[in-house]
């Protein structure tokens, strides 16, 4: 299933995308797409419903496809060629940092540069959505804790991340720096999550091309690893690293985002996003 939430940010409606690309309303079945919705039993119950019996509705503004996440965890330098372009060593263990919950926005929401930003950058990434609580899980069992997958743009302010004391979180958690969606695609529909093509364009120019097959640490390893250090709750999301082609690594000189730029990105089977970049304006964040 492709689950989504659409409409006003203050009161979105739950829906699913059917095989014909139509939005079907789930409001008669569930009030919202919450952590409880992501349990295996709840997903199975939704999957058993004949989508053709649900009302077709016009798609409103797409929001984050579920609500109720307690953590937005990220993995850094998880593609060897991205580590190389960043002039950093290939990690021996996953590099873990956090993005704030406030950075999570819908897939086509504006990206608003923080005040004084001069080195904001793009990163297409695979998102992993937890469906059942994970605590000290083995790699062989890790994928059973995953409800599904999504596209994430891990927008990053490189000066804040790398030049302001070495705390990555400062450059990763700015408001609007975590577009998610368009959908949460359930794991059964994705198949082999370690063979998904991914790409990102800026102003129509291809910047990133990659495949999840080249991850250093795969999804099962990441979920198992994180569960040793924290409890992963239903609705929590993990963004798993980016392939090469970020602005920081462009040659002969880095290229960073500026107001008016348009990012377009996608992952096989998981859909596409598009964001327009704006200078600091709190009204665009809160709208």
């Amino acid at each position: 299933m492709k689950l989504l939430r659409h409409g006003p940010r203050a009161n979105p409606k739950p829906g699913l995308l059917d095989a014909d690309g139509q939005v079907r309303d789930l409001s008669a079945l569930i009030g919202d797409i919450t952590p409880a919705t992501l349990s295996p039993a709840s997903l199975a119950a939704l999957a058993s419903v004949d989508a053709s019996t649900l009302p077709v509705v016009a798609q409103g503004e797409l929001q984050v496809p579920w609500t109720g996440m307690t953590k937005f965890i990220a993995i850094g330098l998880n593609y060897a060629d991205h580590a190389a372009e960043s002039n950093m060593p290939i990690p021996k263990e996953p590099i873990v940092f956090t993005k704030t919950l406030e950075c999570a926005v819908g897939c086509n929401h504006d990206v608003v540069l923080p005040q004084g930003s001069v080195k904001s950058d793009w990163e297409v990434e695979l998102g992993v959505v937890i469906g059942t609580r994970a605590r000290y899980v083995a790699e062989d069992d890790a994928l059973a804790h995953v409800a599904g997958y999504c596209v994430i743009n891990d927008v990053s302010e490189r000066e804040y991340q790398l030049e302001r004391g070495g705390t990555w979180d400062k450059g990763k958690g700015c408001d609007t720096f975590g577009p998610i969606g368009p959908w949460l695609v359930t794991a059964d529909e994705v198949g082999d999550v370690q063979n998904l093509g991914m790409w990102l364009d800026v102003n129509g120019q291809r910047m990133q091309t990659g495949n999840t097959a080249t991850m250093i640490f795969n999804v099962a390893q990441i979920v198992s690893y994180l569960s040793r250090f924290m409890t992963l709750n239903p609705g929590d999301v993990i963004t798993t690293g980016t392939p090469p082609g970020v602005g920081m690594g462009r040659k002969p000189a880095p290229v960073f985002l500026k107001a008016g730029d348009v990012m377009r990105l996608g992952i096989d089977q998981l859909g596409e996003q598009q964001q327009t970049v704006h200078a600091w304006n709190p009204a665009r964040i809160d709208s």
Side-chain angles (χ1 to χ4, degrees):
M1 291 180 294
K2 294 181 173 71
L3 299 175
L4 59 90
R5 297 165 71 239
H6 67 115
R9 291 178 71 184
N11 187 30
K13 293 185 177 298
L16 64 79
L17 195 75
D18 69 16
D20 297 319
Q22 301 178 109
V23 176
R24 299 279 181 166
D25 187 25
L26 291 175
S27 298
L29 302 177
I30 55 175
D32 204 345
I33 299 172
T34 68
T37 313
L38 304 180
S39 72
S42 295
L43 290 176
L46 282 179
S48 70
V49 175
D50 182 353
S52 67
T53 65
L54 300 172
V56 175
V57 292
Q59 178 182 293
E61 181 184 26
L62 289 167
Q63 306 299 342
V64 176
W66 72 99
T67 188
M69 73 175 72
T70 65
K71 301 180 192 68
F72 194 156
I73 306 298
I75 305 298
L77 303 179
N78 197 28
Y79 291 74
D81 34 15
H82 171 56
E85 72 176 351
S86 303
N87 295 314
M88 295 182 184
I90 295 173
K92 295 180 180 178
E93 294 190 35
I95 294 174
V96 179
F97 61 93
T98 61
K99 292 176 75 74
T100 65
L101 299 182
E102 289 78 12
C103 81
V105 292
C107 62
N108 300 325
H109 195 280
D110 294 337
V111 165
V112 180
L113 301 177
Q115 291 185 19
S117 169
V118 294
K119 294 184 179 180
S120 287
D121 204 346
W122 54 83
E123 293 191 5
V124 58
E125 303 200 3
L126 170 73
V128 179
V129 185
I130 299 299
T132 58
R133 179 173 292 179
R135 181 185 291 153
Y136 289 101
V137 301
E139 284 182 26
D140 288 348
D141 299 326
L143 295 185
H145 295 265
V146 174
Y149 303 94
C150 58
V151 182
I152 294 178
N153 189 353
D154 177 20
V155 185
S156 308
E157 216 299 343
R158 303 301 188 189
E159 181 187 10
Y160 300 178
Q161 175 191 357
L162 301 172
E163 302 172 33
R164 301 282 294 273
T167 304
W168 282 25
D169 300 24
K170 286 187 289 191
K172 296 285 192 170
C174 304
D175 292 338
T176 75
F177 270 27
I180 298 176
W183 320 297
L184 188 166
V185 185
T186 53
D188 61 295
E189 187 166 321
V190 174
D192 183 4
V193 72
Q194 298 301 159
N195 188 24
L196 300 177
M198 53 206 306
W199 55 272
L200 182 145
D201 297 344
V202 178
N203 300 329
Q205 179 181 354
R206 182 59 45 92
M207 297 294 190
Q208 291 186 274
T209 302
N211 192 291
T212 58
T214 65
M215 284 181 175
I216 298 169
F217 306 103
N218 64 31
V219 172
Q221 291 170 321
I222 289 168
V223 171
S224 175
Y225 182 85
L226 290 176
S227 76
R228 303 176 206 170
F229 303 99
M230 65 191 77
T231 298
L232 300 173
N233 294 309
D236 288 351
V237 66
I238 306 162
T239 191
T240 56
T242 198
V246 299
M248 177 177 63
R250 301 292 292 180
K251 300 293 189 290
V255 176
F256 296 112
L257 294 168
K258 62 186 184 304
D261 285 344
V262 176
M263 294 178 283
R264 189 166 165 262
L265 57 147
I267 299 178
D268 291 350
Q269 301 188 55
L270 303 183
E272 298 182 8
Q273 303 184 354
Q274 180 170 302
Q275 299 100 31
T276 299
V277 179
H278 292 269
W280 171 253
N281 182 343
R284 289 194 175 275
I285 293 172
D286 299 329
S287 62

